[in-house]
Amino acid sequence: QVQLVESGGGLVQPGGSLRLSCAISKSIFSIYAMGWYRQAPGKQRELVARISTSGNTNYADSVKGRFTISRDNAKNTVTVYLQMNSLKPEDTAVYYCNAISRGTMESSWGQGTQVTISA
């Protein structure tokens, strides 16, 4: 069972920054891709950013140029970061970390972390 533990959410003013972290209890060699999704009240969950184990990234158009996804590898864990700059009220949502296992393509989710952008 893969465990994903997110941290770093909070309340910031518009224009501010936050960095989210997600610790994934799996070796990088067992992961196909990792990403961050978000879900705002009354809306569907949407992809924010994704990174492959080779380092290729892709972003939602709404966050391009403002958010950066990155990762650090350890022996049996991977930490995925989401650096969020120039935050806007419309970035307010619960942010979820996701990992897709290599081979089975099973999708695993973290518990979510609240990000609120408000003056």
Side-chain angles (χ1 to χ4, degrees):
Q1 185 76 16
V2 181
Q3 290 188 328
L4 294 82
V5 180
E6 300 124 331
S7 60
L11 170 65
V12 296
Q13 293 185 343
S17 298
L18 278 175
R19 190 175 82 155
L20 306 182
S21 300
C22 174
I24 304 172
S25 63
K26 207 168 180 70
S27 164
I28 188 67
F29 302 107
S30 300
I31 297 173
Y32 175 72
M34 301 150 283
W36 288 95
Y37 290 71
R38 68 186 180 187
Q39 188 167 17
K43 295 188 176 182
Q44 289 189 332
R45 191 173 296 188
E46 62 176 0
L47 174 68
V48 176
R50 184 163 48 204
I51 185 168
S52 70
T53 51
S54 61
N56 294 322
T57 59
N58 61 287
Y59 297 90
D61 288 343
S62 59
V63 307
K64 281 181 182 176
R66 300 189 298 123
F67 290 11
T68 303
I69 189 170
S70 61
R71 58 168 172 74
D72 280 338
N73 305 336
K75 185 175 182 181
N76 290 312
T77 62
V78 179
T79 302
V80 184
Y81 302 98
L82 186 68
Q83 178 67 43
M84 306 186 293
N85 299 326
S86 303
L87 284 161
K88 304 176 182 180
E90 51 264 43
D91 294 319
T92 295
V94 178
Y95 283 69
Y96 296 90
C97 182
N98 173 264
I100 300 175
S101 297
R102 187 174 298 278
T104 65
M105 303 304 283
E106 179 182 1
S107 185
S108 302
W109 296 92
Q111 80 283 2
T113 185
Q114 177 70 47
V115 172
T116 303
I117 314 304
S118 176

